[in-house]
């Protein structure tokens, strides 16, 4: 038994409160309509706010693993209450063929490739600092803009699910940046390396899942 049960309870309660505040924007029950949940004019969460929320989430992932699972959007169809199977999505072909959406699709394919490249970098050097590449390849505002542009080509029911994927992607990008950071002179452990690679795996899959709605 812990010699300081009271302190442990207080610390757990503190982390829980941080996670509750940080994750409230990602609640699956929140009202969603055509791409507005993520629009800038509605006060979309800034990169700094995401980083602050994610710092609490990364700590809580160890202490409260059940809470950390809440960020996942689940599978398609019957496996998820909100994310429909891409083959059942209704797509506005005219909007899909527009220059803006086609440019956004190219961007998202590039983000998926960037995730693969970062994994390759870590495979060759487990101590590599991928922070600069995360910030340049996953420019927060551009990623959000590209994902929302593609979302505009989908019907409202489909957007309830794709908005969920978008929120998960944005959260994972910021958590990735927090997770990969190392203190000067301290080597990255195998556990931390595994956590970074898991984030990159999840991002690669999320981008792939999102692109499936526009194929």
């Amino acid at each position: 038994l812990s010699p300081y049960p009271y302190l442990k309870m207080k610390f757990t309660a503190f982390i829980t409160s941080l996670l509750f505040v940080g994750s409230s924007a990602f609640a699956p029950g929140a009202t969603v309509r055509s791409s507005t949940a993520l629009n800038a004019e509605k006060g979309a969460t800034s990169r700094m706010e995401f980083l602050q929320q994610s710092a609490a989430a990364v700590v809580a992932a160890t202490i409260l693993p059940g809470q950390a699972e809440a960020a996942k959007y689940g599978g398609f169809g019957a496996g998820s209450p909100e994310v429909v199977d891409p083959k059942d999505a209704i797509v506005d072909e005219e909007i899909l063929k527009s220059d803006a959406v086609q440019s956004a699709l190219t961007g998202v394919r590039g983000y998926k490739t960037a995730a693969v490249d970062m994994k390759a970098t870590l495979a060759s050097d487990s101590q590599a600092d991928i922070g600069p590449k995360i910030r340049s390849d996953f420019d927060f505002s551009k990623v959000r803009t590209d994902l929302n542009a593609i979302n505009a080509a989908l019907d409202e029911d489909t957007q309830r699910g794709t908005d969920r994927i978008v929120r998960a992607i944005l959260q994972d990008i910021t958590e990735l940046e927090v997770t990969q950071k190392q203190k000067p002179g301290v080597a990255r452990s195998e556990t931390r390396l595994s956590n970074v690679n898991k984030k990159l795996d999840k991002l690669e899959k999320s981008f792939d899942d999102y692109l499936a709605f526009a194929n």
Side-chain angles (χ1 to χ4, degrees):
L1 294 177
S2 170
Y4 307 106
Y6 176 73
L7 290 176
K8 182 176 180 181
M9 289 174 63
K10 293 287 286 183
F11 179 71
T12 301
F14 171 69
I15 291 300
T16 303
S17 67
L18 285 177
L19 183 61
F20 176 78
V21 172
S23 62
S24 62
F26 308 106
T31 301
V32 179
R33 60 188 179 86
S34 181
S35 298
T36 57
L38 306 166
N39 284 349
E41 64 267 26
K42 285 293 185 180
T45 310
S46 69
R47 186 184 188 89
M48 182 58 68
E49 288 169 331
F50 260 83
L51 284 169
Q52 292 169 344
Q53 294 164 3
S54 297
V58 169
V59 175
T62 301
I63 301 172
L64 303 169
Q67 289 285 352
E69 291 297 307
K72 296 183 179 179
Y73 56 80
F76 292 139
S80 170
E82 298 207 24
V83 184
V84 303
D85 193 310
K87 67 180 178 61
D88 296 326
I90 298 175
V91 181
D92 186 315
E93 294 295 334
E94 185 176 348
I95 295 177
L96 180 64
K97 293 176 182 177
S98 68
D99 291 343
V101 175
Q102 288 302 307
S103 175
L105 286 169
T106 299
V108 175
R109 293 186 189 105
Y111 305 143
K112 177 186 172 183
T113 299
V116 174
D117 290 345
M118 289 180 209
K119 287 192 293 183
T121 297
L122 291 172
S124 61
D125 179 7
S126 64
Q127 303 304 313
D129 179 9
I130 60 172
K133 188 169 178 61
I134 292 172
R135 290 186 289 274
S136 63
D137 291 3
F138 294 152
D139 181 275
F140 196 79
S141 61
K142 189 174 188 310
V143 171
R144 182 173 54 199
T145 297
D146 285 343
L147 294 173
N148 279 343
I150 297 170
N151 225 14
L154 307 175
D155 72 290
E156 188 170 333
D157 287 340
T158 301
Q159 287 177 359
R160 291 191 181 94
T162 52
D163 278 352
R164 190 177 174 90
I165 299 177
V166 172
R167 289 193 293 271
I169 287 173
L170 296 177
Q171 183 176 4
D172 283 337
I173 288 173
T174 48
E175 287 183 8
L176 171 64
E177 189 167 354
V178 172
T179 303
Q180 75 86 35
K181 286 183 178 178
Q182 287 296 107
K183 292 181 179 179
V186 178
R188 180 180 285 125
S189 67
E190 286 298 319
T191 298
R192 184 172 288 272
L193 177 63
S194 175
N195 289 338
V196 174
N197 277 315
K198 284 177 181 177
K199 282 294 178 188
L200 288 169
D201 284 340
K202 190 179 175 203
L203 277 168
E204 181 186 355
K205 183 179 185 303
S206 295
F207 286 128
D208 205 34
D209 287 347
Y210 200 77
L211 287 168
F213 287 92
N215 288 338

